[in-house]
Amino acid sequence: MALGFALLSISPLYEKEVYENLKKTSEIVEVHPLFGEYDILLKIETYDIDTIGEIVIKKIRSIKGVTDTKTLIGTKSLSGEK
């Protein structure tokens, strides 16, 4: 299982629409609205790291109103899990 997080910047006119669209994507397991530099934080779970990239490019960046993304890949290296 691969774990990723994405920070999104959203055009002010599309915040609610983007939020609702993100909740419909099965690989996105959490959607959190934010105040600050970014507008939304996502948690993405897939089978491998490459799929996280595909989700960001094909399913997230293609949503009207998404203006910028920053993607972070999670690791279990500190927890000792395999």
Side-chain angles (χ1 to χ4, degrees):
M1 174 81 48
L3 178 64
F5 298 90
L7 293 161
L8 310 182
S9 295
I10 311 298
S11 173
L13 300 174
Y14 295 97
E15 291 170 331
K16 180 76 171 167
E17 182 180 332
V18 170
Y19 178 83
E20 294 300 327
N21 278 319
L22 293 167
K23 288 175 46 176
K24 296 176 187 175
T25 303
S26 62
E27 297 88 355
I28 297 173
V29 295
E30 294 180 26
V31 181
H32 300 278
L34 303 172
F35 292 116
E37 183 178 350
Y38 294 96
D39 301 303
I40 292 178
L41 168 67
L42 305 176
K43 182 177 179 183
I44 305 164
E45 290 182 357
T46 64
Y47 292 104
D48 57 44
I49 292 171
D50 291 333
T51 306
I52 292 173
E54 290 177 20
I55 298 300
V56 171
I57 292 168
K58 294 179 181 175
K59 294 187 177 182
I60 297 171
R61 289 184 185 168
S62 65
I63 298 173
K64 186 176 183 176
V66 175
T67 60
D68 189 36
T69 63
K70 182 174 200 165
T71 306
L72 308 156
I73 304 298
T75 180
K76 293 182 180 181
S77 64
L78 297 177
S79 67
E81 294 181 39
K82 294 183 180 183

